[in-house]
Amino acid sequence: MRFQAFWLCLGLLFISVNAEFMDDDVEMEDLEENSEETDVNEGELSSEIKYKTPQPIGEVYFAETFDSGRLAGWVLSKAKKDDMDEEISIYDGRWEIEELKENQVPGDRGLVLKSRAKHHAISAVLAKPFIFADKPLIVQYEVNFQDGIDCGGAYIKLLADTDDLILENFYDRTSYIIMFGPDKCGEDYKLHFIFRHKHPKTGVFEEKHAKPPDVDLKKFFTDRKTHLYTLVMNPDDTFEVLVDQTVVNKGSLLEDVVPPINPPKEIEDPSDKKPEEWDERAKIPDPSAVKPEDWDESEPAQIEDSSAVKPAGCPRKIPNPDYFEDDHPFLLTSFSALGLELWSMTSDIYFDNFIICSEKEVADHWAADGWRWKIMIANANEPGVLKQLMAAAEGHPWLWLIYLITAGVPIALITSFCWPRKVKKKYKDTEYKKTDICIPQTKGILEQEGKEEKAALEKPMDLEEEKKQSDGEMLEKEEESEPEEKSEEEIEIIEGQEERNKSNKSGSEDEMKEADESTGSGDGPMKSVRKRRVRKD
C-alpha cells in the first residue's frame, strides 16, 4: 500500500509539473508565433477601429500627431549651450518621425529622439498663446522609452510669450513658464512639474517645484509601453498630475510647492553686527579639569559655557522689503510655444499626440483616438509569465537562484511526504500473544468463558489426583517388592515432589476463585478476563 501511495503521489506530481510545462509551452508557442498574432491582432484592431489620425474637438491651443510624416511647424535649434566646449555645446541630436518598434498601430507615427549622449532641441509655436485667466490649463502627451532609459529626460517646456522668443535660438536658458514630464538620473525616477513664478515687486522669475508623487514611477520608465502624461492646472490654484489617466499627484499651488509662493514677512537684518563682547566659543576650558597621565594635548577638556547668553533679538530681524502676498498664483505669465530640450544617454525615446487645451473632455477624447489603441495592442501582446521571468533574469542573474528555490522547495516537501518510510520492528515476536491482552467482552461471553475455564481447571485436578493415586500404588508395590530402606537423597526428592504438587493444587484453587469472582460480579456488561497458563510438572 505504501508503494502504491508513493507511485500515486509521484504520478500526481508529474502530472502537475507536466501541466505547468504544457502551459508554459503554450505561452512559448504563443510567443514564438508573436509576429503572426501581432499581425492578426493588428489586422483585427485596424479593421475594427479603422485607425484615423486623432482630430481635436473644441478649443485647442496646440495639437500634433506626427502622422503626416513631416515636421511641419517644428523648428530645430541652432543654438549652443553656454560655458561648454564647442564639440558638446551644440544641439546636434537627431530627430526622426517613425512608428513604434513594438506594438505598432498601423498608420500611427511619432517623434523619436535618435541620438545618444547628444543635446537635442526642437520646438513649435502654439496656434495662439495661452493666457492664464479663468480657464484651466491641460497639457497632455505620450512617451515611450522603447529601449528603457539609462539617464535622461522626456519632459517638455512651455516657452514664455516674449518678444525676443526665436525658436532657432531655443536652448537650456530660454525662458519657460512650465516644465512637465518624466526624467531619470541614476536610480532617481522623477515626474517634474515646475512652474516659474514672477515676483510682482522685483520682476524676477523663481522656480517652484511641486511635491514629488507618492507612487512608484519606475515601471513607467522600464516596461517599454506608451504612457500618457497629463497636467491639469485649475483657476482655483489646484493642480493634478495624471499618468495613464490616473492621478498620481495633486495639491495646492500655494501649499504644495517648494519654495512657497509667498516669501516670509521678516528676514534677518543684513546690517546687523555682532556686539564687541561677543564670544564665538561654544565651549570654554574646564577650570576643574586635571591632566591624566595619558593626557592628549590635542583634546583639551571643555565644558559648556553656562554663562553664555545669547543677546535678545539676535540675530535682529527686519520686515522683508520684498514681501508680497499672492493669493492667486495660477495667474502665471502666458506662454506661446512648446519645446523639447533634452540630453539622454539612451536613444529611441518616442513622443506622440501633444495637445494643449482647457477642457478635460477634449483631452480624454484625444487620448481615446490615439493612446488607447496603443495600450490595447500592447496588452494584447503582453508576454506570458515565463517570458517575463526570463526577461527579468537576463538583467539580474541572481533571480535564477530565487526561481530554483521557489520551484524546488514545494517539490522537496511533496516528495518527503509521499516517499515511503521503512518501519523497523522494535520488538521481536515473543510468546506474548493477543489473547493475553485484556479484551472487552459482554456479560454472556464472560459467563461462557468462565464455565470453560472451570472445566479446564477441574481436569488438571483430576489428573493430579489420579497421578497421586498411581504414584501411591507404585510406591506400595515398590515397598512390597523392595523392602529395602530408601536413601536420604531419595526421600528428599519425594518430599520435594509432594510439596510442588501441593503448591500447584493451591494455585489452581486460587485461579478458580478469581475466575468465579470475575464471572459472578456482574458490575457491567463489559469485563476483562485474565487467562493463566496451567503449569505442568
Side-chain angles (χ1 to χ4, degrees):
M1 290 297 294
R2 292 175 180 172
F3 282 101
Q4 292 178 355
F6 163 70
W7 288 114
L8 178 60
C9 292
L10 186 61
L12 291 174
L13 178 61
F14 174 79
I15 292 171
S16 61
V17 173
N18 189 37
E20 292 180 0
F21 277 103
M22 288 178 66
D23 292 340
D24 293 340
D25 291 340
V26 171
E27 291 179 359
M28 291 301 295
E29 290 175 1
D30 291 342
L31 292 171
E32 291 174 358
E33 298 173 358
N34 188 45
S35 59
E36 296 180 3
E37 288 186 357
T38 301
D39 293 338
V40 172
N41 289 333
E42 289 180 354
E44 292 177 355
L45 288 173
S46 61
S47 62
E48 291 177 2
I49 67 175
K50 296 181 180 179
Y51 173 80
K52 294 182 180 179
T53 299
Q55 298 295 327
I57 59 173
E59 182 183 18
V60 297
Y61 297 85
F62 184 81
E64 179 62 79
T65 64
F66 304 103
D67 287 349
S68 65
R70 296 179 291 107
L71 285 172
W74 291 84
V75 179
L76 295 172
S77 176
K78 299 179 181 179
K80 296 181 180 180
K81 294 176 69 75
D82 296 338
D83 304 327
M84 298 188 72
D85 295 337
E86 181 72 18
E87 295 180 356
I88 60 175
S89 65
I90 58 176
Y91 288 90
D92 57 349
R94 187 165 57 93
W95 299 89
E96 296 290 346
I97 297 178
E98 299 175 348
E99 292 185 346
L100 283 167
K101 288 183 175 181
E102 300 177 355
N103 305 316
Q104 301 93 346
V105 177
D108 182 37
R109 297 181 179 87
L111 179 65
V112 181
L113 181 149
K114 298 298 294 182
S115 306
R116 63 182 303 275
K118 288 184 178 293
H119 296 287
H120 301 72
I122 191 171
S123 56
V125 177
L126 273 59
K128 58 182 178 179
F130 182 89
I131 299 174
F132 291 89
D134 56 353
K135 294 181 179 181
L137 168 66
I138 299 174
V139 181
Q140 182 172 280
Y141 70 108
E142 302 169 12
V143 176
N144 188 323
F145 296 100
Q146 300 184 95
D147 295 334
I149 182 71
D150 293 328
C151 183
Y155 47 80
I156 64 172
K157 291 181 178 180
L158 303 179
L159 307 181
D161 183 21
T162 59
D163 296 335
D164 59 349
L165 177 60
I166 301 174
L167 298 185
E168 289 185 353
N169 297 332
F170 173 45
Y171 73 133
D172 61 328
R173 297 190 180 182
T174 299
S175 179
Y176 71 91
I177 302 303
I178 293 173
M179 188 172 87
F180 170 66
D183 186 21
K184 180 184 182 247
C185 183
E187 289 301 317
D188 190 8
Y189 298 89
K190 300 179 181 179
L191 181 53
H192 292 300
F193 168 40
I194 304 170
F195 62 91
R196 299 177 76 233
H197 182 266
K198 186 177 181 180
H199 197 292
K201 289 187 175 182
T202 63
V204 176
F205 285 89
E206 185 178 23
E207 289 185 353
K208 308 294 181 181
H209 295 248
K211 65 179 182 180
D214 295 331
V215 301
D216 185 9
L217 302 172
K218 183 176 180 179
K219 64 178 181 179
F220 304 125
F221 293 79
T222 58
D223 62 4
R224 304 190 182 190
K225 292 183 179 180
T226 302
H227 293 287
L228 184 70
Y229 295 89
T230 307
L231 168 66
V232 179
M233 294 181 67
N234 298 308
D236 63 354
D237 302 305
T238 60
F239 70 90
E240 287 184 340
V241 175
L242 301 90
V243 180
D244 298 343
Q245 299 182 324
T246 301
V247 176
V248 297
N249 194 10
K250 63 180 180 179
S252 169
L253 298 176
L254 283 167
E255 300 175 356
D256 298 310
V257 297
V258 179
I261 293 292
N262 298 316
K265 292 183 177 181
E266 292 184 337
I267 61 172
E268 294 184 3
D269 186 358
S271 63
D272 190 18
K273 296 181 180 179
K274 294 179 181 179
E276 295 180 359
E277 64 276 10
W278 184 268
D279 190 352
E280 290 285 353
R281 297 176 300 171
K283 293 183 178 181
I284 60 175
D286 184 359
S288 61
V290 179
K291 293 182 179 181
E293 295 179 357
D294 57 346
W295 178 258
D296 185 358
E297 290 293 341
S298 63
E299 297 291 338
Q302 292 184 337
I303 60 173
E304 298 290 338
D305 186 0
S306 59
S307 62
V309 179
K310 192 174 184 178
C314 182
R316 186 172 60 194
K317 291 189 175 182
I318 60 173
N320 185 357
D322 297 327
Y323 174 76
F324 66 89
E325 189 170 353
D326 186 353
D327 295 331
H328 200 21
F330 174 75
L331 300 177
L332 300 174
T333 303
S334 59
F335 60 89
S336 60
L338 178 149
L340 292 88
E341 189 268 319
L342 305 169
W343 182 90
S344 176
M345 287 299 296
T346 307
S347 60
D348 291 325
I349 302 175
Y350 178 93
F351 300 86
D352 200 6
N353 294 332
F354 292 93
I355 189 170
I356 299 174
C357 59
S358 294
E359 299 178 23
K360 188 66 166 59
E361 294 77 10
V362 174
D364 291 343
H365 184 272
W366 180 263
D369 288 345
W371 171 76
R372 183 166 64 99
W373 304 118
K374 292 187 179 74
I375 204 66
M376 286 181 63
I377 292 177
N379 291 337
N381 296 331
E382 187 75 21
V385 175
L386 179 60
K387 185 73 172 182
Q388 294 181 20
L389 294 175
M390 293 180 65
E394 289 180 1
H396 305 283
W398 53 269
L399 286 174
W400 287 113
L401 178 60
I402 304 298
Y403 299 161
L404 181 62
I405 295 174
T406 305
V409 169
I411 295 174
L413 291 175
I414 293 173
T415 304
S416 64
F417 281 115
C418 296
W419 197 268
R421 299 180 180 178
K422 294 182 179 179
V423 180
K424 295 182 178 179
K425 294 184 178 180
K426 295 182 179 180
Y427 304 100
K428 294 183 178 179
D429 294 338
T430 61
E431 294 181 355
Y432 184 81
K433 298 181 180 179
K434 290 184 178 179
T435 54
D436 298 328
I437 301 175
C438 294
I439 302 174
Q441 301 289 345
T442 61
K443 185 175 180 180
I445 296 174
L446 290 173
E447 292 177 352
Q448 181 67 24
E449 291 182 353
K451 293 178 181 179
E452 293 177 356
E453 286 184 356
K454 284 183 180 181
L457 292 172
E458 289 173 355
K459 289 180 181 180
M461 292 177 64
D462 296 339
L463 293 173
E464 289 177 359
E465 291 178 356
E466 292 177 357
K467 184 177 181 182
K468 287 181 180 180
Q469 292 177 359
S470 62
D471 291 342
E473 293 177 354
M474 291 293 291
L475 289 173
E476 290 177 357
K477 290 179 180 180
E478 289 177 358
E479 288 176 355
E480 292 176 356
S481 60
E482 297 178 0
E484 295 179 0
E485 296 182 356
K486 296 180 179 179
S487 64
E488 294 180 359
E489 292 180 357
E490 292 177 347
I491 295 171
E492 288 178 358
I493 291 171
I494 294 171
E495 290 177 353
Q497 290 177 351
E498 292 177 352
E499 289 178 358
R500 284 196 296 272
N501 292 335
K502 291 180 181 180
S503 63
N504 290 338
K505 181 177 181 181
S506 62
S508 61
E509 292 176 354
D510 292 340
E511 290 176 355
M512 290 177 64
K513 290 180 181 180
E514 290 177 1
D516 293 339
E517 291 175 358
S518 61
T519 56
S521 60
D523 292 337
M526 303 294 290
K527 291 292 182 177
S528 60
V529 178
R530 180 182 299 172
K531 296 184 178 180
R532 294 180 179 270
R533 290 189 297 275
V534 179
R535 182 174 179 180
K536 297 181 180 180
D537 292 337

